[in-house]
Amino acid sequence: MTKLKIAVIGCGSIAQHRHLLEYEANTNVEIAAVCDIVEERARKIGQLYGATLYTDYKELLENEDIDAVSVCLPNYLHAPVSIDALNAGCHVLCEKPMATSKEEAEDMIQTAEQNGKKLMIAHNQRFVPSHVKAKELIESGAIGKVYSFRTAFGHGGPEGWSAEGEDSWFFKKDQAFIGAMGDLGVHKADLLRYILNEEFVDVAGFVENNAKEDITVDDNAVCILRSQSGIVGTMAASWAYNPNEDNSTVIYGEKGMLRLEDDPEYSLVAQYTNGDVVNYQLGKIQSNDDGGQSDSKVIDHFVDSILNDTEPLITGEEGMKSLEVILGAIRSGETREISSLEKVTK
Ligand SMILES: NC(=O)c1ccc[n+]([C@@H]2O[C@H](COP(=O)([O-])OP(=O)(O)OC[C@H]3O[C@@H](n4cnc5c(N)ncnc54)[C@H](O)[C@@H]3O)[C@@H](O)[C@H]2O)c1
């Protein structure tokens, strides 16, 4: 079988820790080209993977015969670069948050449809073993009707992660559009939509910058969410959780609770109201603490969806619905009113 020719656009941290490693481990693909605006970075990565290097993604799309592209760029470039790649005939795996507005997300979806190409958003939390197991347990009725949840994703901030360090685009509103809520909160919005199998209809949010100085985006955000069936819960995102990362979720139901990534030893703990406790030791969640490394399954899933011509688990529509939750949180923070998502998600 001929291998899929892949290009990775943006050679920063997530490209180096996840996309490039996992493409290289996939025997059905060849990393044909890489692009980064920082020439030295593009050269280093190009040499490491034996790929042609570019500093201008438009030249890459013009010169190379590429089947699929990973967009690993600052948030403001997700939509324009994905759209150009789709129009150049490539399938696209785009990092999160999908775009900076609903309109951009809609344009991406429409362009994928027009060109008959896959568009997948890299919400890796859906593939984490404890999350997959929790979804199974909820669907099987193990905890009965779900009433509430709390979820948090926080760490000390992206300065130790981003290729740009303390001066990173992550802190600049014109390039990131949103801070911790878009970096981390959107993962949890997507996770909860997925494991609860429900859409959120109301969002109240405090999206604040109260920790880091000289940044133009939020670094601490807390939201209250209400789903279509009336499940209510909180979602927190932070770049000021020190010294340890918190990546936990607790789901409360009629017959018990599920604690996901909340226990140092067990990735999932099911505590039932009849006294039973089941501890699950499943695979590890990806964490900035270990450099984000480990098999996210995102890349293999994207490649399989192309080879088998199946719909990826996280389509553009799914990415857009998760984006709408954080857009609702921003609106609520600005207006000091609850944002209704019903009109925008249905
Ligand atoms: N799924 C996840 O768990 C996860 C984790 C971290 C980051 N991300 C996302 O991945 C994306 C990239 O984040 P990162 O952590 O790799 O950031 P980063 O700062 O480490 O890297 C960004 C790279 O993009 C390059 N770049 C900027 N403008 C460019 C342009 N016009 N053309 C080519 N290259 C350009 C920069 O030089 C840099 O190398 C972001 O959207 C982020 O939200 C996702």
Side-chain angles (χ1 to χ4, degrees):
M1 193 179 69
T2 46
K3 294 186 175 199
L4 286 181
K5 290 177 105 179
I6 302 287
V8 174
I9 304 182
C11 295
S13 247
I14 197 65
Q16 294 183 35
H17 289 299
R18 186 169 302 158
H19 292 250
L20 289 157
L21 287 179
E22 294 185 21
Y23 279 127
E24 199 184 41
N26 189 310
T27 52
N28 293 318
V29 307
E30 171 202 340
I31 303 170
V34 295
C35 171
D36 200 285
I37 201 165
V38 177
E39 192 174 349
E40 202 185 309
R41 203 169 290 148
R43 176 161 298 111
K44 186 185 127 200
I45 300 301
Q47 281 170 355
L48 193 61
Y49 291 95
T52 311
L53 67 98
Y54 289 86
T55 52
D56 179 342
Y57 80 90
K58 289 192 181 183
E59 272 180 30
L60 182 160
L61 294 174
E62 239 174 66
N63 294 352
E64 301 283 327
D65 188 15
I66 295 294
D67 297 302
V69 158
S70 266
V71 176
C72 299
L73 293 166
N75 302 340
Y76 78 110
L77 293 169
H78 289 181
V81 176
S82 295
I83 287 171
D84 285 347
L86 289 161
N87 280 331
C90 303
H91 302 285
V92 169
L93 172 60
C94 179
E95 268 302 342
K96 47 44 64 176
M98 174 179 184
T100 65
S101 67
K102 187 179 179 205
E103 291 69 33
E104 277 190 348
E106 282 172 341
D107 286 350
M108 292 164 77
I109 294 165
Q110 203 185 5
T111 310
E113 271 166 19
Q114 279 164 357
N115 288 286
K117 296 292 163 192
K118 312 278 176 206
L119 170 62
M120 176 172 161
I121 312 304
H123 279 298
N124 52 300
Q125 294 239 338
R126 291 198 188 196
F127 298 98
V128 171
S130 58
H131 297 166
V132 174
K133 187 70 192 171
K135 183 171 171 65
E136 260 172 51
L137 289 170
I138 291 168
E139 276 171 4
S140 74
I143 61 163
K145 187 171 163 39
V146 175
Y147 300 135
S148 188
F149 61 83
R150 68 160 178 78
T151 188
F153 196 175
H155 52 55
E159 47 275 76
W161 162 270
S162 167
E164 303 292 328
E166 283 185 3
D167 197 30
S168 177
W169 63 270
F170 271 101
F171 300 121
K172 298 171 185 158
K173 191 167 183 167
D174 58 336
Q175 296 178 48
F177 108 89
I178 184 170
M181 184 46 83
D183 181 28
L184 306 176
V186 72
H187 272 306
K188 295 302 186 191
D190 185 73
L191 173 68
L192 285 162
R193 291 185 46 252
Y194 181 58
I195 60 179
L196 298 176
N197 197 23
E198 296 222 12
E199 295 302 337
F200 290 110
V201 292
D202 289 313
V203 183
F206 290 91
V207 184
E208 311 286 327
N209 167 211
N210 64 8
K212 294 185 193 293
E213 286 175 8
D214 302 326
I215 70 171
T216 48
V217 289
D218 55 286
D219 52 15
N220 273 295
V222 179
C223 302
I224 304 172
L225 304 174
R226 189 171 72 86
S227 79
Q228 63 200 58
S229 79
I231 303 170
V232 289
T234 58
M235 179 174 94
S238 177
W239 284 341
Y241 283 3
N242 292 305
N244 298 322
E245 181 171 301
D246 184 355
N247 205 335
S248 66
T249 300
V250 183
I251 315 275
Y252 304 90
E254 190 188 355
K255 297 190 222 164
M257 65 196 260
L258 301 176
R259 293 170 48 213
L260 290 54
E261 307 297 335
D262 187 47
D263 182 277
E265 199 172 345
Y266 300 105
S267 44
L268 174 61
V269 177
Q271 293 174 222
Y272 295 99
T273 48
N274 66 5
D276 290 350
V277 177
V278 186
N279 295 315
Y280 296 87
Q281 226 159 12
L282 305 162
K284 266 184 88 180
I285 193 166
Q286 296 85 44
S287 153
N288 274 19
D289 292 348
D290 63 13
Q293 292 195 25
S294 72
D295 175 16
S296 75
K297 301 190 179 63
V298 168
I299 274 71
D300 286 351
H301 183 87
F302 176 57
V303 170
D304 286 350
S305 78
I306 298 169
L307 294 176
N308 304 326
D309 193 17
T310 49
E311 190 167 84
L313 181 63
I314 313 119
T315 56
E317 284 83 356
E318 287 292 305
M320 183 170 75
K321 286 180 180 171
S322 299
L323 173 68
E324 284 183 72
V325 177
I326 60 161
L327 291 173
I330 301 176
R331 271 200 311 280
S332 167
E334 284 168 357
T335 60
R336 303 275 153 175
E337 286 180 4
I338 294 171
S339 295
S340 168
L341 303 184
E342 226 152 354
K343 293 180 210 84
V344 282
T345 50
K346 295 277 149 65

